[in-house]
Amino acid sequence: MNNENNFFSKLKNSLVKTKNNFSGKIDQLINYSGVYDDEFFEELEEILILADLGVETTNTIINKTRERIQIDNIKDKEKVKSVIKEIVREILIDDEVTSFKYPMVILVVGVNGVGKTTTIAKLANLYKKQGKKVLLAAGDTFRAAAVEQITIWSQRLNIDIIRNDQGADPASVIYDALQAAKARKTDVLICDTAGRLHNKDNLMSELSKINRVIANESEFFTQYNLLVLDATSGTNAVNQANVFNQATKLDGIVLTKLDGTSKGGIVIPIKSQLKIPIHFIGVGEQMDDLQEFDASTFVDALF
Amino acid sequence: MIFDGLSNKLQDTFKKLKGKGKLSEKDIKEATREIKIALLEADVNFKVVKDFVKKINERSIGSEVLQSLTPGQQVIKIVNDELTNLMGSANSQLSFNSKGITSIMLVGLQGAGKTTTAGKLANLIKSQGKKVLLVACDIYRPAAIKQLQVLGEQIDVSVFSLGNSTSPVSIVKSAMKHAKENYFDIVIVDTAGRLHIDEELMNELKYIKDEISPTEILLNVDAMTGQDAVTVAESFDEKLDITGIILTKLDGDTRGGAALSITSVTGKHIKFVGVGEKITDLESFHPDRMASRILGMGDVLSLIEKAQSNFDEDKAMELQEKFRKQQFTLEDFKEQMQQMKSMGSFSDILEMIPGANKKALQGVDVSDKELGKSEAIINSMTKKERQNPEIINASRRKRIAAGSGTRVQDVNKLLKGFEQSKKMMKQFSGMSNKKLGKMKFPFM
């Protein structure tokens, strides 16, 4: 319980800026305007777009709000806010909760600089703390010193790693890691990959190949493909998720760098437009600052 | 992902307005709404958009519609001009100290691409014949120093490092001394990524700045950054008074609205853009291209200008006359192709046309090679054949194919294409003279 409280306060802290920008502004808007006319909705539109909700999702939320206010003939100021909150909650909450089955392979993908390697270290730390046997695969054989970066993490966390030199075929590194994971009876194998922009077709095919290598071992492992997204990125994050989902069917999303930005809002269009669940959020630079995402808690922290 | 959205929408909006000489307030209102949405979809900051749209309004109302443009194009032109203005009218160069060492400091959020950019920048400056020293000041991220060393080795540039247990301020101090003693011209300092709200780390940057008084402080910004780009840029600028911006990862499919947000809040120019993973993938910044990209409309204006400067006005009139009287022959067809060729490579032109995205064009055979083939085929026809394509029978086709080094199928294809364009012209010829006046370019 204590832990949960901790989590909530941390989440709340990291979302302070988002909350000020988002919920605070909605409060102001509602308090100053007595009628819910076009001007009101125009202001609301501005608030939502400033929170990185994007044009499409903003329109969805505005239309729904307009509709509900009209149908239920809502005038009470407090109620208007709860209508908006409810709409956001509906978008974010999953119908079914993904349960993770062991042994599993987590393939971590994303564009350059979103924080894949750091996220992997945090994930490894999380599972290790839960008493799982973890193995890392240094699948970023492209970027200079990427292998060293993840190796340093493996040493700090005292976790085994399968690696090869820079320039090696990443699929072969992953293959070796899968064999090692089988032999060592690993619970969780986490595979790093090189950052790639989603519009580079050949790099995306490379990813599909890695995906197939893991899928070939599906009788031994459950596979989870996780996309890492940077919370500071704008609506392009939706494009990224879309294209990565085509190359490797995504099972979930990790949203990093939520601390310090005022942009926790990007969570909403991603969920609304892509229906891919958000599994983890990075809320700080410490090892423990990776949290399982809980939509209800998130919405409560936001409003 | 409708990148050609804006220009199409604007064309629709202005359909009703054809022939108008001046833009009225009402015309503009609808157009500016489309522009607003386009900019927001490109992740330009909301406040920046608001100011911008206001400016467009003021400039557009009452402005003359240029003879050669439609009202829609006219508004796009104004928008484009303003965007280009905001992002810096001329592309900005790096400043170098006239004597002594020029120092460049790279700063930014985590994952913006500082270390990679440091390598690219070193490579670029080195190729100008300068002696460059890279300084590894990212003592926090695991293997960041190693990454810089690997890059340095790749491009044969020295990397100065004191490991990760010395403070960045001491590192730069020693690095400058080292540079002086060893006659380096340029020092590039790679710093650790940090959040703009991290007081302690932001102060560290300030101390580095105070220590070496850098010639350039370049803020690295990920082109994909969203609404927050403004806050990030403002914070870094406030603390460090940056001298310019490097926009990274522009080879992605982002529209890159961050570029506009940042330049308009800081007033600082973008000096370079990162366009790929190779060490040479650093280019100077072109505000005009960026403007078109943010608007998502291809390089419409260059196309318009190109077309105007290359098309012979008289010939165009003559051609129109022929369209109307339906006397368009293969001879004219060839002339058209030649004129198009004089505008540059056909694929270049296609790229400039909004909506002509590469994927959609994959099935269409419009290569320059194809154009050359068509020309050869027409050249192999007799004058009579060119004027009366109906007489080209099977044996003539065989002869033409042999003469032009093509196959009979190619000849058939060309003739069919010609028939089709003739049919198209027929439809045009039903239009009024006025409308035809705006239709100088059959391919648009």
Side-chain angles (χ1 to χ4, degrees):
Chain A
M1 197 60 214
N2 201 8
N3 227 346
E4 255 172 52
N5 270 339
N6 251 340
F7 167 50
F8 189 71
S9 67
K10 194 142 207 179
L11 180 66
K12 240 186 150 151
N13 274 337
S14 68
L15 287 176
V16 163
K17 291 196 97 193
T18 311
K19 194 180 156 85
N20 287 346
N21 247 325
F22 189 65
S23 172
K25 278 188 190 156
I26 293 179
D27 278 338
Q28 270 180 21
L29 171 64
I30 291 174
N31 280 333
Y32 281 114
S33 46
V35 279
Y36 307 116
D37 52 4
D38 284 352
E39 203 178 316
F40 171 84
F41 285 107
E42 217 165 276
E43 294 267 332
L44 185 59
E45 180 186 28
E46 179 172 340
I47 295 169
L48 297 180
I49 282 180
L50 268 176
D52 268 334
L53 264 70
V55 175
E56 192 180 323
T57 305
T58 296
N59 282 340
T60 313
I61 294 177
I62 298 250
N63 289 340
K64 278 191 183 163
T65 311
R66 211 188 267 269
E67 210 179 275
R68 287 191 201 174
I69 287 181
Q70 204 170 31
I71 289 172
D72 301 338
N73 196 18
I74 294 170
K75 294 218 164 67
D76 188 354
K77 285 181 176 174
E78 258 313 296
K79 269 204 180 134
V80 174
K81 195 180 174 193
S82 62
V83 164
I84 301 171
K85 184 173 172 180
E86 203 40 50
I87 291 168
V88 173
R89 190 194 296 275
E90 281 164 21
I91 290 175
L92 284 178
I93 280 187
D94 274 308
D95 310 329
E96 47 190 307
V97 184
T98 332
S99 60
F100 292 93
K101 288 188 211 79
Y102 304 95
M104 66 175 169
V105 180
I106 304 177
L107 178 65
V108 180
V109 300
V111 301
N112 318 57
V114 289
K116 282 180 296 302
T117 311
T118 311
T119 300
I120 287 169
K122 287 178 178 174
L123 272 175
N125 179 55
L126 189 83
Y127 287 114
K128 201 187 169 206
K129 274 195 168 168
Q130 292 174 6
K132 304 285 186 240
K133 194 170 177 201
V134 185
L135 181 68
L136 300 178
D140 182 354
T141 54
F142 179 80
R143 206 203 66 200
V147 175
E148 280 84 351
Q149 188 179 349
I150 192 168
T151 305
I152 292 173
W153 279 119
S154 77
Q155 287 160 354
R156 284 188 195 168
L157 297 165
N158 197 16
I159 287 172
D160 286 351
I161 184 166
I162 302 296
R163 50 180 283 185
N164 204 331
D165 295 335
Q166 191 188 332
D169 176 17
S172 81
V173 177
I174 306 289
Y175 179 82
D176 289 347
L178 286 163
Q179 303 315 316
K182 263 193 279 183
R184 299 177 198 185
K185 307 226 176 323
T186 302
D187 298 310
V188 185
L189 166 64
I190 310 176
C191 307
D192 193 10
T193 61
R196 64 203 73 218
L197 290 173
H198 48 293
N199 59 342
K200 302 279 167 73
D201 290 341
N202 50 343
L203 289 178
M204 293 310 279
S205 319
E206 180 190 275
L207 209 55
S208 302
K209 181 181 169 190
I210 294 173
N211 189 46
R212 283 197 301 276
V213 168
I214 301 174
N216 282 341
E217 305 283 336
S218 62
E219 50 180 314
F220 305 105
F221 305 99
T222 23
Q223 180 181 356
Y224 291 98
N225 294 341
L226 275 185
L227 173 70
V228 182
L229 290 175
D230 182 338
T232 35
S233 63
T235 48
N236 191 257
V238 180
N239 282 15
Q240 290 169 29
N242 212 347
V243 182
F244 272 100
N245 195 29
Q246 284 162 22
T248 60
K249 175 101 189 56
L250 297 174
D251 298 292
I253 284 167
V254 184
L255 196 68
T256 60
K257 308 184 198 174
L258 252 180
D259 50 328
T261 100
S262 53
K263 298 308 163 207
I266 190 70
V267 168
I268 301 163
I270 288 171
K271 187 71 209 321
S272 164
Q273 283 164 245
L274 294 164
K275 318 281 181 229
I276 301 169
I278 288 130
H279 277 153
F280 298 99
I281 49 177
V283 292
E285 299 190 6
Q286 302 305 313
M287 262 301 102
D288 293 327
D289 291 338
L290 185 78
Q291 311 284 358
E292 278 187 46
F293 178 76
D294 177 77
S296 270
T297 321
F298 186 83
V299 177
D300 285 339
L302 200 59
F303 282 88
Chain B
M1 277 144 267
I2 305 155
F3 283 0
D4 50 329
L6 181 65
S7 47
N8 284 348
K9 274 185 210 156
L10 280 182
Q11 301 292 4
D12 282 350
T13 313
F14 284 103
K15 240 181 204 157
K16 304 163 246 165
L17 301 175
K18 62 179 175 222
K20 263 196 180 173
K22 272 184 183 170
L23 296 168
S24 78
E25 196 167 342
K26 218 179 114 232
D27 304 337
I28 300 301
K29 209 180 164 194
E30 215 163 316
T32 44
R33 190 177 154 71
E34 299 292 353
I35 293 163
K36 195 170 129 186
I37 292 172
L39 293 175
L40 288 174
E41 278 175 341
D43 283 330
V44 180
N45 180 273
F46 198 95
K47 290 184 182 118
V48 175
V49 172
K50 259 187 151 172
D51 289 348
F52 183 76
V53 167
K54 211 173 128 198
K55 219 181 270 174
I56 295 299
N57 255 324
E58 284 163 7
R59 243 195 86 178
S60 301
I61 293 168
S63 85
E64 301 271 342
V65 176
L66 285 182
Q67 187 92 77
S68 50
L69 301 178
T70 66
Q73 286 170 332
Q74 177 73 25
V75 175
I76 293 177
K77 188 173 155 35
I78 294 171
V79 171
N80 201 66
D81 288 352
E82 277 299 317
L83 274 180
T84 311
N85 261 343
L86 262 177
M87 288 188 291
S89 305
N91 53 24
S92 345
Q93 304 290 326
L94 274 183
S95 10
F96 292 103
N97 284 348
S98 51
K99 55 180 179 185
I101 297 169
T102 298
S103 50
I104 301 168
M105 191 175 156
L106 298 178
V107 299
L109 298 179
Q110 289 100 336
K114 285 174 298 302
T115 309
T116 307
T117 304
K120 288 178 179 175
L121 196 59
N123 183 54
L124 186 85
I125 298 175
K126 187 194 160 209
S127 70
Q128 295 166 1
K130 301 237 167 44
K131 196 177 171 194
V132 187
L133 180 67
L134 281 165
V135 181
C137 273
D138 184 352
I139 59 170
Y140 306 100
R141 179 165 60 96
I145 297 175
K146 177 80 186 168
Q147 186 185 350
L148 197 64
Q149 284 165 341
V150 173
L151 287 169
E153 218 167 281
Q154 242 177 60
I155 55 175
D156 196 20
V157 163
S158 322
V159 176
F160 185 90
S161 154
L162 292 177
N164 54 15
S165 43
T166 314
S167 82
V169 179
S170 318
I171 296 174
V172 287
K173 202 172 175 180
S174 314
M176 288 310 275
K177 195 166 162 259
H178 175 81
K180 210 173 263 171
E181 285 165 4
N182 293 281
Y183 307 106
F184 281 94
D185 305 308
I186 314 282
V187 170
I188 300 175
V189 181
D190 178 33
T191 64
R194 64 204 72 214
L195 285 172
H196 53 290
I197 52 159
D198 189 329
E199 195 77 26
E200 200 183 315
L201 283 177
M202 289 301 280
N203 279 333
E204 180 193 284
L205 286 180
K206 182 84 171 61
Y207 299 144
I208 296 178
K209 181 190 171 182
D210 293 347
E211 180 63 43
I212 61 172
S213 320
T215 324
E216 294 268 9
I217 302 176
L218 302 175
L219 176 67
N220 279 233
V221 183
D222 186 330
M224 290 177 275
T225 315
Q227 296 283 322
D228 216 27
V230 164
T231 334
V232 173
E234 266 175 344
S235 315
F236 273 94
D237 193 32
E238 221 165 76
K239 192 86 190 176
L240 300 166
D241 189 19
I242 59 170
T243 59
I245 293 146
I246 298 181
L247 201 64
T248 61
K249 303 182 215 172
L250 202 59
D251 49 329
D253 63 357
T254 175
R255 299 257 293 273
L260 180 62
S261 306
I262 295 167
T263 40
S264 65
V265 295
T266 61
K268 306 291 163 67
H269 289 170
I270 296 171
K271 300 207 169 177
F272 294 101
V273 291
V275 292
E277 302 201 333
K278 287 195 298 293
I279 199 87
T280 47
D281 290 335
L282 189 74
E283 292 178 354
S284 42
F285 175 69
H286 298 277
D288 45 343
R289 286 186 210 163
M290 194 67 221
S292 301
R293 177 172 180 153
I294 290 174
L295 289 172
M297 54 177 226
D299 204 351
V300 181
L301 287 169
S302 325
L303 180 65
I304 293 170
E305 277 161 23
K306 233 174 177 174
Q308 274 175 329
S309 62
N310 278 293
F311 265 86
D312 190 319
E313 196 73 19
D314 292 336
K315 267 193 184 158
M317 286 310 287
E318 204 181 296
L319 209 60
Q320 275 176 36
E321 203 54 33
K322 280 184 175 165
F323 285 173
R324 275 232 305 282
K325 293 184 182 155
Q326 294 179 46
Q327 288 168 344
F328 188 65
T329 65
L330 273 166
E331 196 82 47
D332 304 315
F333 197 59
K334 194 183 107 187
E335 212 164 273
Q336 281 272 291
M337 282 193 291
Q338 275 164 344
Q339 280 196 333
M340 269 164 90
K341 264 169 85 181
S342 72
M343 285 167 65
S345 126
F346 196 57
S347 35
D348 279 355
I349 297 169
L350 270 175
E351 241 165 66
M352 285 191 279
I353 300 176
N357 71 9
K358 280 177 213 140
K359 259 185 197 151
L361 282 170
Q362 262 163 14
V364 190
D365 226 343
V366 280
S367 59
D368 295 297
K369 222 172 114 198
E370 204 64 23
L371 263 184
K373 219 192 228 173
S374 304
E375 224 185 312
I377 293 173
I378 298 178
N379 280 337
S380 298
M381 295 175 182
T382 64
K383 209 171 179 189
K384 213 168 157 196
E385 283 166 345
R386 287 181 215 173
Q387 270 152 8
N388 278 314
E390 299 83 36
I391 62 163
I392 304 179
N393 57 18
S395 86
R396 279 178 195 262
R397 277 171 210 232
K398 242 187 236 163
R399 193 206 77 238
I400 294 167
S404 58
T406 57
R407 296 165 306 166
V408 176
Q409 292 100 293
D410 297 322
V411 179
N412 289 343
K413 206 168 129 197
L414 175 98
L415 288 170
K416 208 171 160 197
F418 174 68
E419 258 332 293
Q420 270 169 354
S421 28
K422 239 178 129 177
K423 253 184 222 156
M424 238 164 65
M425 312 283 175
K426 207 170 178 180
Q427 283 164 350
F428 286 153
S429 65
M431 295 175 182
S432 69
N433 245 339
K434 208 171 193 177
K435 183 146 194 180
L436 261 175
K438 295 230 185 272
M439 292 229 20
K440 278 173 205 156
F441 322 120
F443 59 90
M444 275 184 86

